[in-house]
Structures are given as C-alpha cells and as structure tokens.
Amino acid sequence: MKLKDLRSNPQNPRTLKDTSFKKLLNKILVYPRLLEKNKITFDSEQQNVILGGNMRFKTLKYICSTYRPDNIETAIKTAQIALNIDSDDLLKNSVSVFSELIETEALPKSWTQDAKGLSEEEKQAFIIIDNVSDGDWDFDVLANGWDVDFEAWGLVDWSNDTEQQNEQDYSDKNNEYGEDDFNDLAILKLEFTLEDYELVKSELLKHGQTPEDAIFKLLNLDDDRPQIPV
C-alpha cells in the first residue's frame, strides 16, 4: 500500500516527543521485520484512516522523506549503535527493506491490515486498546535476565526515584512532533528536588495552560511564536 493512500487519525490520543521518536526510529530501522507482527491497522471504510500504528506510520514517512538508498545504510548503522546492536545480517536485511521502501514509498502488504467489518464501537475500542499499556515492568527481572540497553530502548530509567518517574516531565513536553512532519525544537531542561518541582509546577499552572506559556507571560516576552502541540 502506498504511504500516500494512508491517513493519520486526527483523533489519535497519542503524541510523539522528540526523544521517543528517535528511539522508535532506531527500533524500526534495525528491526523492520517486526512490523509484520505489529501491523499498521487502517479502516478502508473511512478513507484508510489509521486506527493503530500512527506513530509507526509517521516514522516510516519520515524515513522516506529524509533518507535515500545511498545513505540509508549509514542511518541504520547509527541506529544499531544507539541500541547497542552489532549484526551484519540485520544490517543487510534493513538496507534491503528500506532501500525498496524509499524508492517505492509503498508499505509491504504484510505490514498492514484492514479493520473493515468492525463496528464503530469496536474501532474506537481498538484505538484505546492499541494505545494502552497494561501492567508494570519488573525491573529486577529486566536487570538480571535481559542483555539490552533499557534507556536506549525507551524503558523507564530506574536510577531515578520511582515517584519522580511517574510525575509529568515538563522539560520533555517542549518537543512533540506534529501531524505531518517532525520539527526540531529546543529543550530547556530544569532540575529541581521533588519538593521544589511540585511547588514550581503548581505556580506555573496558575499563569498558563502549559509551562511554556506561563514562562513567556511571567517574563513579559512577545508570545508571537510557533505553537507547540500539547
């Protein structure tokens, strides 16, 4: 299926931040065959709008618009390094897959599936279920039984306090990717103790809907700037 024939879901409840996008990009570049097992689900009854896999779809569009057959191997090698993977077999397979993808701008049939026939209620349920992550990570099992770089793969870094991990990280909220492209936005990272963090967060939300808006208002800066999706 041609990428241009698929449509991102405007009501998709998930967004993709810059660090998360880079990790997803690396995983897709290194392991494209896994897309056969985690298919992009679209609805042919609604102009091929995507029900599941919006972030994978956007990442694949990014690959096609950013790389060429003559430089995709370098990108894949970089992704392998980021994931601490060293495999010539994976590299050769990925180069073959993405060289064809870039040239044709079409997804293999095995990467997609049609939700045609599901009721509207079932389609809405599919979107929620596809975006919900049930259960918690057992970090003892991960640490003792898995030989992977957990941070590179996007797992929670348990070196920080558990309560802090569950808090909203405003510094990371600056950088979410939009509907049609991926914008490079700078991150201003501030570090506080947990007690000070709660105080700052509470005060900022009194002045704006987002921390960014509040800071601009408090500093009396001209708010004529690109809007960052919330």
Side-chain angles (χ1 to χ4, degrees):
M1 174 174 282
K2 291 285 188 180
L3 284 167
K4 65 181 180 61
D5 293 332
L6 290 168
R7 294 175 54 237
S8 292
N9 191 340
Q11 295 182 330
N12 180 45
R14 301 277 287 183
T15 56
L16 192 64
K17 301 173 185 178
D18 66 332
T19 53
S20 298
F21 161 68
K22 291 173 184 176
K23 290 171 182 176
L24 177 60
L25 173 64
N26 289 337
K27 286 178 277 191
I28 287 178
L29 286 173
V30 174
Y31 295 105
R33 290 181 60 187
L34 298 188
L35 294 172
E36 299 176 9
K37 308 302 180 183
N38 191 18
K39 301 177 188 290
I40 294 174
T41 303
F42 64 94
D43 184 4
S44 63
E45 296 175 323
Q46 295 291 331
Q47 299 179 317
N48 293 340
V49 68
I50 294 174
L51 303 184
N54 279 276
M55 299 302 123
R56 279 168 276 143
F57 170 65
K58 292 179 183 180
T59 305
L60 291 168
K61 284 180 62 178
Y62 175 86
I63 291 171
C64 284
S65 64
T66 304
Y67 302 114
R68 303 180 306 279
D70 63 351
N71 66 11
I72 188 63
E73 181 173 347
T74 299
I76 296 168
K77 286 181 178 178
T78 301
Q80 283 195 343
I81 292 172
L83 296 179
N84 290 323
I85 303 294
D86 184 11
S87 171
D88 288 337
D89 289 339
L90 287 176
L91 177 62
K92 292 177 182 177
N93 178 70
S94 292
V95 170
S96 175
V97 169
F98 287 111
S99 294
E100 183 175 354
L101 177 68
I102 292 167
E103 290 178 348
T104 63
E105 296 190 359
L107 302 180
K109 186 176 181 180
S110 60
W111 289 11
T112 62
Q113 62 184 356
D114 192 352
K116 181 179 179 180
L118 295 180
S119 67
E120 289 305 313
E121 181 179 356
E122 288 172 325
K123 291 173 183 177
Q124 288 188 354
F126 181 92
I127 293 172
I128 297 300
I129 292 171
D130 187 64
N131 284 289
V132 168
S133 177
D134 294 318
D136 299 306
W137 292 106
D138 186 326
F139 292 116
D140 288 334
V141 173
L142 286 173
N144 294 306
W146 291 74
D147 184 19
V148 297
D149 186 332
F150 305 118
E151 185 176 356
W153 278 81
L155 297 177
V156 177
D157 180 4
W158 58 84
S159 63
N160 296 322
D161 183 82
T162 302
E163 188 172 358
Q164 285 180 284
Q165 293 169 5
N166 294 327
E167 291 292 334
Q168 184 178 14
D169 182 2
Y170 282 146
S171 65
D172 197 29
K173 224 176 134 49
N174 284 1
N175 226 345
E176 294 178 357
Y177 287 93
E179 182 65 22
D180 297 319
D181 57 12
F182 299 99
N183 297 319
D184 291 327
L185 302 174
I187 296 176
L188 176 63
K189 184 173 182 179
L190 304 174
E191 294 184 358
F192 300 97
T193 63
L194 182 58
E195 181 179 357
D196 287 344
Y197 170 86
E198 291 291 349
L199 178 61
V200 171
K201 179 177 72 172
S202 175
E203 291 300 314
L204 282 174
L205 292 179
K206 293 179 182 179
H207 298 279
Q209 292 184 340
T210 67
E212 294 82 12
D213 288 336
I215 289 173
F216 265 76
K217 290 177 182 178
L218 290 170
L219 296 178
N220 295 317
L221 297 175
D222 183 5
D223 200 18
D224 184 19
R225 68 191 195 281
Q227 294 300 303
I228 300 172
V230 178

